[in-house]
Amino acid sequence: MSKSFEDKKYAPIGVFDSGVGGLTVAREIMRQLPQESIIYFGDTARVPYGSKSKETIVRYSRQIIHFLESKGVKAIVVACNTASAFALEEIRPEMRMPIIGVVKPGAKVAAESTVNGRIGVIGTEGTVGSQIYTEMIHRHNPNAVVLGKACPLFVPLVEEGWLKDPVTIEVAKRYLATFQESEIDTLILGCTHYPLLRSTIREIMGDEVNLVNPAYETAQGLKCLLEQNQLANDSKEQKTFATYRFFVSDAAEKFKNFASSILPCEIKEARLIHIEE
Amino acid sequence: MSKSFEDKKYAPIGVFDSGVGGLTVAREIMRQLPQESIIYFGDTARVPYGSKSKETIVRYSRQIIHFLESKGVKAIVVACNTASAFALEEIRPEMRMPIIGVVKPGAKVAAESTVNGRIGVIGTEGTVGSQIYTEMIHRHNPNAVVLGKACPLFVPLVEEGWLKDPVTIEVAKRYLATFQESEIDTLILGCTHYPLLRSTIREIMGDEVNLVNPAYETAQGLKCLLEQNQLANDSKEQKTFATYRFFVSDAAEKFKNFASSILPCEIKEARLIHIEE
């Protein structure tokens, strides 16, 4: 095995999102793959992605992937449902390294775990409108009935910090009413912000409905992908610990504080870059 | 008077905003200056501006102003409170044509019309955090007490279309509580989306509080500015009518539909451009 090939195993994973939401995915990778280093990019200058067009999201994603490649990552995780929905299949053929999104892993586990074949998906306007979850679920379970509902107020409510607020509960009741009537047994949290509303959603949907957080499955999928490509950092002898670096396109200080509050570790720095250049 | 100088009077006004909110300002210009043509730009690929940093908003505004200049406008209206707060004074020295924002006109009328000297300002995080309204109000009324409150959920609620919804009323009550205790007699609607929530805000604040919509004063200010610079289209002989053209950086069709719903005229086209290039 050549030196350069061995070196590649120690390269970081590139993870990106429109902003802070993808940190829930990064957190899961840190937990499940503690030996892997991460370079995270949050596109805080152009957040949110959920209300924007496919063409724009593909362009933004391409710019970010080029940036992550320039940092020497060995694989890329698209930790944003909208970018996974719009950009992943478009960009994959151009890639020389493994890339994984959050949609396919979430869809797979929902398709396999539903008992009555009725699955709900909540997400941004872009993700739900793309019908990507329906398509991916049908690859594993062609007879599943998939019901989507865009929940555009969830992200601003999370960012306002009103996680268990009466207003958030009322908004969630309104958005989720459609699922209560249609007797789903599985609900995909199809936006990386939504796991932060898990307990509110759980309260409304009841204990019988299985809530799928694609972050967990994505970290699992990443693990397989690294192993298949002989890229997993499996060395027990390596002296260095995993390192986590953060880049954003705007408001680095605000990002740093938010990230420190939801990650298991304190973040020392989030570095600002101009991604469009 | 030279031909080119006369021609300039018939050039359009450039109006820009982060998205659709500035259409409330464009609407007011159409009403008060019906002979003036308008070129509107909505930065829908990077909306919203309210949660982003000064540096980023200055960069975005500069790009947009260059675009509007390339379209031959005779004056520019920054129809966005956040861009007015962060970018206007920074960019003004670079400009060869008149430019006006929404903050100064709104601040002036509030400063002059308050009786008890207590003024409230609601806006985005960026606008309120910048303290620009306080500074501008103090130029006209140094003793005024100015109280600001960021209302980050108002824009997404407007964009969800929940204008008079119980959820919106509850959120507004929460945000406005601070003003009810502090006995303001004037409240500035310091974000171009907020006039669409006027009746909800009116209901909570009561009839005694004067609600200032800077769009009205901005159109007045623009009128003076054009006259001072001999740029007003005052020709009664001109055969052509005012024309309105719209450009966006994303999701042109969605913009067109929204704009048609709030402007007095049906919009035929919103053209997509890549503003960052």
Side-chain angles (χ1 to χ4, degrees), chain B:
Chain B
M1 205 176 272
S2 74
K3 170 105 173 52
S4 72
F5 191 81
E6 265 299 299
D7 280 355
K8 229 177 163 185
K9 285 181 156 184
Y10 308 132
I13 314 280
V15 179
F16 78 89
D17 177 44
S18 59
V20 296
L23 290 167
T24 62
V25 180
R27 181 172 68 179
E28 202 55 41
I29 297 171
M30 291 172 185
R31 208 174 63 81
Q32 291 188 37
L33 292 83
Q35 71 286 12
E36 299 293 350
S37 292
I38 292 174
I39 294 189
Y40 184 97
F41 178 79
D43 198 2
T44 46
R46 304 185 293 197
V47 70
Y49 281 6
S51 54
K52 289 161 194 170
S53 74
K54 174 171 179 162
E55 189 214 359
T56 292
I57 302 310
V58 169
R59 193 169 76 245
Y60 289 174
S61 300
R62 209 170 256 137
Q63 289 168 347
I64 296 167
I65 287 169
H66 288 166
F67 166 73
L68 292 171
E69 282 175 337
S70 78
K71 291 286 165 192
V73 300
K74 65 182 175 186
I76 285 175
V77 178
V78 187
C80 168
N81 280 269
T82 311
S84 298
F86 281 156
L88 188 57
E89 294 313 313
E90 192 96 6
I91 291 175
R92 196 193 297 279
E94 305 160 17
M95 300 285 301
R96 277 170 299 176
M97 67 178 71
I99 183 166
I100 184 173
V102 287
V103 170
K104 211 168 146 186
K108 185 166 180 281
V109 69
E112 290 170 353
S113 62
T114 180
V115 175
N116 73 2
R118 303 180 71 80
I119 300 168
V121 179
I122 51 176
T124 65
E125 226 183 303
T127 301
V128 172
S130 76
Q131 299 272 353
I132 180 99
Y133 269 105
T134 310
E135 196 186 306
M136 292 286 179
I137 287 166
H138 284 166
R139 286 193 196 170
H140 298 280
N141 186 339
N143 299 319
V145 175
V146 185
L147 301 154
K149 176 72 185 166
C151 305
L153 286 167
F154 276 177
V155 170
L157 284 165
V158 167
E159 298 203 334
E160 184 67 323
W162 293 8
L163 301 184
K164 292 174 189 175
D165 191 277
V167 165
T168 307
I169 293 168
E170 177 55 33
V171 171
K173 275 186 186 158
R174 198 89 62 93
Y175 284 146
L176 300 174
T178 174
F179 298 123
Q180 290 174 301
E181 292 152 16
S182 53
E183 300 187 334
I184 58 165
D185 70 355
T186 304
L187 179 63
I188 299 175
L189 309 182
C191 170
T192 51
H193 275 78
Y194 297 179
L196 301 173
L197 295 175
R198 193 187 185 98
S199 68
T200 295
I201 295 169
R202 165 64 66 215
E203 206 168 296
I204 294 166
M205 295 307 298
D207 288 337
E208 304 77 38
V209 173
N210 178 24
L211 301 183
V212 174
N213 173 7
Y216 180 85
E217 314 299 331
T218 302
Q220 291 273 306
L222 174 64
K223 200 176 172 199
C224 295
L225 196 67
L226 293 176
E227 281 163 7
Q228 281 163 11
N229 288 275
Q230 295 174 283
L231 285 170
N233 182 358
D234 50 8
S235 165
K236 288 180 178 67
E237 287 155 30
Q238 207 203 359
K239 297 285 189 294
T240 55
F241 291 101
T243 57
Y244 304 133
R245 292 168 68 197
F246 301 86
F247 294 85
V248 290
S249 49
D250 193 31
E253 196 62 24
K254 200 164 129 189
F255 177 91
K256 192 173 86 95
N257 296 336
F258 191 93
S260 293
S261 78
I262 76 160
L263 291 179
C265 54
E266 191 73 29
I267 289 182
K268 284 199 205 96
E269 187 194 24
R271 196 177 290 181
L272 188 71
I273 61 150
H274 287 178
I275 191 71
E276 76 265 34
E277 277 159 20

Side-chain angles (χ1 to χ4, degrees), chain A:
Chain A
M1 207 174 274
S2 76
K3 169 105 173 49
S4 72
F5 192 81
E6 265 300 299
D7 279 355
K8 229 176 164 185
K9 285 181 157 186
Y10 307 132
I13 313 282
V15 178
F16 78 90
D17 178 43
S18 58
V20 296
L23 290 167
T24 62
V25 179
R27 182 172 66 178
E28 201 54 41
I29 297 171
M30 291 171 185
R31 209 174 62 81
Q32 291 188 37
L33 291 82
Q35 72 286 10
E36 300 292 349
S37 292
I38 292 175
I39 293 189
Y40 184 96
F41 178 80
D43 197 2
T44 46
R46 304 186 293 198
V47 70
Y49 282 4
S51 54
K52 288 161 193 169
S53 73
K54 173 170 179 162
E55 188 215 359
T56 292
I57 300 311
V58 170
R59 193 169 76 246
Y60 290 174
S61 300
R62 209 172 256 137
Q63 288 168 348
I64 296 167
I65 287 169
H66 289 166
F67 166 74
L68 291 171
E69 283 175 337
S70 78
K71 292 285 166 193
V73 300
K74 64 181 173 185
I76 285 176
V77 178
V78 187
C80 168
N81 281 270
T82 311
S84 298
F86 281 155
L88 188 58
E89 294 312 313
E90 192 95 5
I91 291 175
R92 196 193 297 277
E94 305 160 16
M95 300 284 301
R96 275 169 302 173
M97 67 178 70
I99 183 166
I100 184 172
V102 286
V103 170
K104 210 168 146 186
K108 184 166 180 281
V109 69
E112 290 170 353
S113 62
T114 180
V115 175
N116 73 3
R118 302 180 72 80
I119 300 169
V121 179
I122 52 177
T124 65
E125 226 182 305
T127 302
V128 172
S130 76
Q131 298 272 352
I132 180 98
Y133 270 106
T134 310
E135 196 186 304
M136 293 286 179
I137 288 167
H138 283 165
R139 285 192 197 170
H140 299 279
N141 186 339
N143 298 319
V145 175
V146 185
L147 300 154
K149 175 73 185 167
C151 306
L153 286 166
F154 276 175
V155 170
L157 284 165
V158 168
E159 297 202 335
E160 184 66 323
W162 294 8
L163 301 184
K164 291 173 188 175
D165 192 276
V167 165
T168 308
I169 294 168
E170 178 55 34
V171 170
K173 274 185 187 159
R174 197 90 63 90
Y175 284 146
L176 300 174
T178 173
F179 297 123
Q180 291 174 300
E181 292 152 16
S182 54
E183 300 187 332
I184 57 164
D185 70 356
T186 304
L187 178 63
I188 298 175
L189 309 181
C191 169
T192 52
H193 275 78
Y194 297 178
L196 302 172
L197 295 176
R198 193 186 186 99
S199 68
T200 296
I201 295 169
R202 162 67 64 217
E203 205 168 296
I204 294 166
M205 295 307 299
D207 288 338
E208 304 76 39
V209 173
N210 177 27
L211 301 183
V212 173
N213 173 7
Y216 179 85
E217 314 301 331
T218 302
Q220 290 273 307
L222 174 64
K223 198 175 172 200
C224 294
L225 196 66
L226 293 176
E227 283 163 6
Q228 280 161 12
N229 288 274
Q230 294 173 285
L231 285 170
N233 182 357
D234 50 9
S235 166
K236 287 179 181 66
E237 287 154 32
Q238 208 202 357
K239 297 283 186 299
T240 56
F241 291 102
T243 58
Y244 305 133
R245 294 169 67 198
F246 300 86
F247 295 84
V248 290
S249 50
D250 193 30
E253 196 61 24
K254 200 164 130 192
F255 177 92
K256 191 174 85 96
N257 296 337
F258 190 94
S260 292
S261 78
I262 76 161
L263 291 181
C265 53
E266 191 74 28
I267 289 183
K268 283 199 207 100
E269 186 195 26
R271 194 174 292 182
L272 188 71
I273 61 150
H274 288 177
I275 191 71
E276 75 265 34
E277 277 160 21

